[in-house]
Amino acid sequence: MNLAEARKHRAALGRKGENAACSFLKNEGMTILARNWRCKAGELDIVALDGDELVFAEVKTTRFGNGFNPAHNLSPIQRKRNYHAAGVYMRVLDINGYPGRFDLIEVIWKNRFSYFIHHHRDYLPHLPPRKEFG
């Protein structure tokens, strides 16, 4: 497999992981507000509403048996970008009164049709709710 094919394969696996994570969050009673939201500060994989909290979910996906934990792919730089992008999301959409929670969802594909999900709440400190002005 050449480099271009490997990138395509990795991107497809990532999309499958994000689809699985969205299904999981919906089954947990959350409402999906956005997927792959981008700004200059970074990208948010999934933004969801869980009761009175905004959830910024980072999704990491891998195949079972490769001996690698998907969460190890979340670098300190990416954590910082996620935090800043979430703040931008709340400002751009003028979202007030909701705290922002950061969750990490690891999707580990066992085979073509089955996978494991590990849901880690609060992998970053909460964003405080924005206050309305005026």
Side-chain angles (χ1 to χ4, degrees), residues 42-116:
E43 179 183 353
L44 301 170
D45 289 341
I46 300 171
V47 181
L49 189 60
D50 185 12
D52 62 352
E53 278 188 310
L54 278 175
V55 177
F56 300 100
E58 178 67 23
V59 181
K60 293 296 180 185
T61 307
T62 191
R63 294 205 181 278
F64 182 77
N66 71 358
F68 190 73
N69 182 345
H72 291 144
N73 271 342
L74 188 58
S75 72
I77 291 169
Q78 188 172 14
R79 290 172 191 256
K80 188 175 181 178
R81 284 184 183 152
N82 289 349
Y83 196 83
H84 290 300
V88 171
Y89 180 88
M90 292 174 81
R91 281 191 308 276
V92 166
L93 286 130
D94 198 25
I95 296 172
N96 300 304
Y98 289 91
R101 185 180 87 214
F102 293 89
D103 290 3
L104 172 62
I105 301 174
E106 296 177 293
V107 181
I108 302 166
W109 285 94
K110 185 176 178 182
N111 59 44
R112 228 173 118 184
F113 303 105
S114 65
Y115 52 87
F116 303 106

